[in-house]
Amino acid sequence: MGEDKSRRRWLAPALFVSLALNLLVAGVFAGVVLGDGPPHRGAEKHGGDPSFPYIRALDDAQRGALRESFRRSLQEGGEDRSARRARFVGGYEAAARVLRAEPFDRAALARAMSEQAERAAARRTRGQAVLVEFLAGLTPEARAAYADRLEAEIARFGDR
């Protein structure tokens, strides 16, 4: 029984950290697309997201156009930015409530984290679809130039 309590003590924090990392990856992709461009230099050293080379290979104009495409895609989903933000924050608030509740409900925490992970995965999938659609719309010359920059990004990752 003591072993079970010990396991429970680290299980919730481990699940929370795992979810946080998943959300970080999805958030970084969305932040790169919706924000001001690629992550700061050296960010890929910290676990790196597989989308980084794709995003970093875009030139500034392409990154801006992709950002707009992603925003339109989210708007077409019928939910405005404030509603998405409220749902994002609400997921963490729900997890915090479960963590404070006595008796502790492991299943409720797992559900809250699972729901957050599902939303993050859906957003990442949407971002990937927007990126594919964007790249498919480039001229052959622009795609070739993009491929050159992508190969340069891959080489940078390989050098680390």
Side-chain angles (χ1 to χ4, degrees), residues 124-158:
R124 182 179 181 142
T125 298
R126 182 186 301 233
Q128 289 172 338
V130 169
L131 178 60
V132 167
E133 188 66 29
F134 178 81
L135 295 173
L138 295 178
T139 66
E141 296 80 14
R143 267 195 320 277
Y146 173 80
D148 290 343
R149 292 188 305 271
L150 179 59
E151 287 172 341
E153 287 299 321
I154 294 166
R156 283 185 52 215
F157 272 61

Side-chain angles (χ1 to χ4, degrees), residues 73-140:
S73 168
L74 292 173
Q75 289 170 348
E76 289 167 5
E79 187 177 51
D80 70 7
R81 184 176 184 175
S82 62
R84 284 190 307 275
R85 182 170 299 285
R87 194 174 67 225
F88 178 80
V89 170
Y92 284 108
E93 290 171 341
R97 283 190 301 276
V98 171
L99 288 166
R100 292 184 188 284
E102 286 299 330
F104 175 70
D105 185 347
R106 182 184 313 180
L109 181 61
R111 271 192 310 278
M113 291 178 163
S114 180
E115 289 168 5
Q116 286 178 304
E118 287 172 16
R119 284 191 300 272
R123 187 173 177 104
R124 182 179 181 142
T125 298
R126 182 186 301 233
Q128 289 172 338
V130 169
L131 178 60
V132 167
E133 188 66 29
F134 178 81
L135 295 173
L138 295 178
T139 66

Side-chain angles (χ1 to χ4, degrees), residues 36-50:
D36 295 329
H40 298 291
R41 185 181 187 118
E44 58 273 3
K45 291 179 187 176
H46 306 291
D49 182 292

